[in-house]
Amino acid sequence: MYRVVPLLAVQLRDVFPELNQQLDYVSRVVHEEELAFLRTLEKGLKRIESIQTISGEQAFELYDTFGFPLDLTSLIARERGLTIDEKGFQAEMEKQKLRSKTDAVKETGDWITVGKDSKSEFIGYEHRTATSKIVKYRKVKQKNNQLFQLVLDKTPFYAESGGQVGDTGFIETANEKIAVIDTKKENELIIHLTEALPLQLKGEFYVQVDERKRNRIMSNHSATHLLHAALRQVLGKHVEQKGSLVNEKILRFDFSHFAAMTKEEIWKVETLVNEKIRENIELSVQSNVPIEKAKAMGAMALFGEKYGDVVRVITFDPKFSMELCGGTHVPATGRIGLFKIVSESSVAAGVRRIEAVTADGAEQFVNDELAVLHEVKGILKNPKDIVAATQSLVEERHALEKKLEILYQQQTHVLKEELIRKAVKSNGHTLIAEKVSVPNADSLKNIAYALRNQFDDLLMILAADVDSKPQVAVMIGEKLAATNKFHAGNMVKELAKEIDGGGGGQPFFATAGGKKLEGLDKVLDKAKALISSSKP
C-alpha cells in the first residue's frame, strides 16, 4: 500500500497539501504500519499454534494483548478446524467496559465559597512558598475515596499541563498540616487536591511546594526541550513532539519518526544533550509574547499545550532550543547534571518514544547498570574482556543445545520404534495406548505425526510425562479419521479430566495439559473404556 502514497499525494494535493510536502515521511509511516501489522499477525499466529480450542478469554487476550482482531482470529480458527467461543469473547469485552466505567465514576460536589471568589494567581515560576487564603472548595468522590479540591487566591503549585505533572506539597497553619497530593487545572482554576479539609477554612495558610520533587521535575522538563532539539538535529526536521510526560522520576517524549533509532543515533542524541548540559546555558524566558511573533522567532509549539494570543517562550540558546511552554525549568542547563536515555520504542505508526532520566535519577541508573556489570564480571571470574567471555559462553551454550537436540531426536526415534513394536491390531485399526516420558511437547508432537505417517488406520493415545508435567496426545490416522468413528478433540477433553486439565484440537490430532501427574495411568484406563464403547 505504501507504494500508492505518491499517487494519492498528487490526486489529493489540493485537499491535503501536507501529503506532498512530507511524501517520504508519509510513505515510510505507511510502510512501517504494514510491517507492524505483519508482526502482529506473526505473534498472533504463534499464540494460536499453542491453542487447540480458543476460549473466550484466549480470544480476548489475542485482541487485548496482541492487537489481534476477532474476525481475523475467527478466520484462522476456521481454516485450522478449531472452534472459538465468540460469546465468551463478548462477555470479556463487557467485563472490560464495566471495569472502565467503574474506574471513570466520579462524583463532584458543588463549590462552596469561603472568601471573595477570584481567579487564582500562579506565582510558582519565582516562588516555592506563599501565604495564601482559601477561595473555595468542594468534595470529590472517586473510586470510593473522598477527596477535597481547594482553590487558593495565590499559589506556587504548578497545575498539571503540557505533559508536566502537578506539584505536591502541603498547606499549613499553626495547628495542622495537610498534604497536597496533586495539582490540576480546570476552567482556568488551579485546583489543589487534598485528603482532608482544614478545620478552619478562613484566614491565612502557609503553603509550600515539595521542593525536591519540583527540582527533579524541572531537570526532566528542561532536558525534554534539549532532547527535542537534539532529535531534530540528528534525525531531521520532520521530528515533532507528539506527546510527553514529565515527572520527578522520568521524562517520556513521543515524537514523529518513521523507524527505530539506531544505537549510533541514540548515542549522538544523548551526547548532544549532555554537551548542552555541560555548556550550562542560561534559561531565557519571554512572557506575554504575541503568538505570531513567537512563531516568527522560530519558537516551536509543544504537543498538549493550549495557546492564547500571547505566549511564554522558553529558550536555551536561540540557535538550539526555543519553544512555547508554560512549564517550570532549571535556571541553567548545568543544573540538569546528567542525561541518560533508558529506552527507545514504538508507540504507533510513525511515532517513537524515548524514556530518559536526569540528575540524581541518571546517576542512580548508571550506578545500577555498573552494579549489574560488576556482578556479571564476578560470575565470569573477572575476565579481562567481558564481551569476549560472554560471547564464548553464548557460543558454548548454543553448541550444547545442538547436542541436546540431537540426543532428544535420538530418544524420540528410539521411543517411536518402541511404540511401533507395541502397536496392536484391534477392530480394524492400529491401536497404540501407552504411558511415555518425553523431554518436551515438541517431541510428543513429532512422535505423534511420525506414527500417523506409519499407520493410516492409527488410533494413538499417549499419556506423557513431559518434564514432570502431565500431557495427553490423541492422534488418528488419515484412513481412520475419514470414518468419523473417533474425534481426537472430543476424546482428549474427556481424558484430560483425569489429570485435572483441559485441551482440544482438530478431529485427527489433539493435546491436553494438566496438573495431576499421577492421573496418567487413569488416562489409559479411560481411553480403553472409550475405545470399547465405540465398537460397532
Side-chain angles (χ1 to χ4, degrees):
M1 286 178 64
Y2 74 96
R3 295 175 181 172
V4 183
V5 174
L7 177 62
L8 289 173
V10 172
Q11 292 181 340
L12 301 175
R13 60 180 177 272
D14 295 331
V15 184
F16 300 109
E18 60 270 22
L19 275 177
N20 198 51
Q21 294 166 4
Q22 302 185 57
L23 182 59
D24 183 57
Y25 172 66
V26 174
S27 297
R28 292 193 183 192
V29 168
V30 174
H31 192 201
E32 283 297 315
E33 180 69 13
E34 291 183 51
L35 295 176
F37 176 75
L38 291 175
R39 287 193 291 270
T40 296
L41 186 62
E42 184 180 5
K43 288 179 182 178
L45 288 172
K46 286 180 179 178
R47 180 75 176 126
I48 287 176
E49 283 177 2
S50 64
I51 300 172
Q52 302 301 331
T53 299
I54 304 175
S55 67
E57 292 87 349
Q58 289 167 327
F60 182 75
E61 181 193 10
L62 285 166
Y63 165 78
D64 194 46
T65 305
F66 298 94
F68 224 59
L70 178 64
D71 55 354
L72 189 56
T73 303
S74 300
L75 176 64
I76 294 170
R78 288 195 299 272
E79 289 176 346
R80 300 186 176 207
L82 305 178
T83 58
I84 179 170
D85 181 8
E86 294 195 17
K87 289 184 179 179
F89 173 84
Q90 295 301 334
E92 290 299 317
M93 283 290 288
E94 288 303 317
K95 288 179 185 178
Q96 186 192 53
K97 289 177 183 178
L98 184 61
R99 286 193 296 269
S100 298
K101 287 180 181 178
T102 302
D103 290 343
V105 170
K106 181 178 178 181
E107 297 178 14
T108 304
D110 294 330
W111 284 112
I112 298 175
T113 303
V114 176
K116 183 180 178 182
D117 196 352
S118 62
K119 185 177 179 181
S120 184
E121 179 188 1
F122 177 63
I123 59 172
Y125 292 134
E126 299 85 12
H127 304 282
R128 309 290 176 86
T129 64
T131 301
S132 306
K133 295 180 179 180
I134 295 176
V135 174
K136 53 186 176 181
Y137 74 92
R138 67 183 177 187
K139 294 180 182 179
V140 176
K141 188 174 182 181
Q142 189 169 12
K143 295 183 181 179
N144 297 319
N145 290 327
Q146 180 171 278
L147 302 171
F148 297 90
Q149 293 181 344
L150 310 180
V151 176
L152 308 177
D153 61 343
K154 58 179 179 291
T155 178
F157 287 78
Y158 180 82
E160 179 181 346
S161 181
Q164 179 176 332
V165 299
D167 279 331
T168 59
F170 62 85
I171 296 174
E172 187 177 19
T173 65
N175 301 317
E176 59 183 334
K177 186 175 183 178
I178 296 173
V180 175
I181 60 176
D182 200 1
T183 310
K184 295 185 180 294
K185 188 176 287 186
E186 183 180 313
N187 298 325
E188 300 304 316
L189 290 176
I190 298 174
I191 297 172
H192 308 75
L193 202 63
T194 67
E195 294 178 336
L197 200 61
L199 297 174
Q200 295 295 326
L201 295 169
K202 293 187 177 181
E204 293 187 331
F205 295 84
Y206 175 73
V207 299
Q208 181 172 329
V209 170
D210 183 333
E211 191 154 357
R212 187 180 182 191
K213 180 180 176 181
R214 167 74 83 84
N215 287 338
R216 288 174 170 177
I217 291 172
M218 292 195 307
S219 290
N220 284 337
H221 198 161
S222 297
T224 300
H225 284 224
L226 301 182
L227 171 62
H228 192 183
L231 285 167
R232 287 173 64 84
Q233 278 200 21
V234 174
L235 301 179
K237 299 302 179 184
H238 65 276
V239 169
E240 293 181 357
Q241 180 175 336
K242 295 298 181 183
S244 73
L245 170 68
V246 178
N247 59 31
E248 73 279 15
K249 295 179 181 178
I250 199 166
L251 68 90
R252 189 176 72 202
F253 188 77
D254 297 346
F255 58 98
S256 54
H257 189 52
F258 43 78
M261 291 177 65
T262 64
K263 289 181 180 180
E264 183 180 18
E265 288 170 339
I266 292 173
W267 177 83
K268 284 182 178 178
V269 167
E270 191 174 84
T271 299
L272 182 54
V273 172
N274 280 312
E275 284 176 358
K276 295 302 177 181
I277 290 172
R278 287 192 294 273
E279 286 177 22
N280 198 27
I281 304 167
E282 289 190 8
L283 167 68
S284 172
V285 180
Q286 294 171 271
S287 301
N288 301 317
V289 180
I291 190 165
E292 293 305 322
K293 180 181 178 181
K295 290 178 179 179
M297 291 162 53
M300 295 193 64
L302 294 183
F303 181 87
E305 286 277 19
K306 295 179 181 179
Y307 302 106
D309 296 331
V310 293
V311 294
R312 183 170 179 260
V313 180
I314 296 296
T315 304
F316 289 107
D317 183 351
K319 295 180 181 179
F320 187 69
S321 172
M322 183 186 296
E323 299 184 356
L324 308 184
C325 180
T328 60
H329 291 274
V330 296
T333 59
R335 288 279 294 273
I336 299 171
L338 178 64
F339 171 83
K340 193 69 184 172
I341 293 176
V342 175
S343 68
E344 191 273 349
S345 60
S346 171
V347 291
V351 179
R352 307 296 301 178
R353 170 174 292 174
I354 279 179
E355 291 191 352
V357 287
T358 67
D360 52 351
E363 183 180 341
Q364 185 63 50
F365 176 80
V366 172
N367 287 339
D368 290 344
E369 292 294 297
L370 287 173
V372 172
L373 179 62
H374 291 319
E375 188 174 350
V376 171
K377 280 185 174 181
I379 292 171
L380 297 177
K381 309 299 182 184
N382 294 306
K384 292 182 179 179
D385 189 338
I386 188 171
V387 175
T390 304
Q391 184 62 37
S392 177
L393 272 179
V394 170
E395 291 172 357
E396 183 180 338
R397 177 180 174 178
H398 285 165
L400 289 172
E401 285 175 345
K402 287 180 180 179
K403 290 180 180 179
L404 189 59
E405 183 61 31
I406 292 172
L407 289 173
Y408 284 164
Q409 290 174 1
Q410 292 172 348
Q411 183 181 348
T412 300
H413 178 73
V414 170
L415 180 56
K416 184 197 78 171
E417 294 300 319
E418 183 181 341
L419 291 172
I420 289 173
R421 288 193 296 272
K422 291 182 178 180
V424 295
K425 289 291 182 180
S426 175
N427 296 306
H429 54 257
T430 300
L431 175 64
I432 298 176
E434 295 290 336
K435 184 178 176 182
V436 298
S437 179
V438 293
N440 51 50
D442 282 341
S443 296
L444 185 63
K445 185 177 180 180
N446 291 338
I447 288 172
Y449 274 94
L451 291 171
R452 190 172 197 257
N453 292 334
Q454 188 80 23
F455 306 104
D456 60 4
D457 61 347
L458 176 69
L459 175 56
M460 182 208 77
I461 300 97
L462 294 182
D465 178 340
V466 183
D467 194 21
S468 298
K469 293 180 182 178
Q471 192 162 335
V472 180
V474 177
M475 176 66 84
I476 300 173
E478 186 175 354
K479 182 179 177 181
L480 183 60
T483 67
N484 294 320
K485 186 177 180 181
F486 298 100
H487 188 288
N490 293 339
M491 288 184 70
V492 87
K493 286 178 185 177
E494 189 63 31
L495 297 174
K497 294 177 182 178
E498 301 301 327
I499 56 171
D500 289 347
Q506 302 175 70
F508 70 90
F509 178 60
T511 60
K515 305 173 184 176
K516 192 176 176 183
L517 189 63
E518 61 272 20
L520 290 177
D521 290 324
K522 290 184 179 180
V523 166
L524 294 179
D525 293 337
K526 180 176 278 191
K528 291 171 184 176
L530 288 173
I531 295 168
S532 297
S533 65
S534 299
K535 289 180 181 179

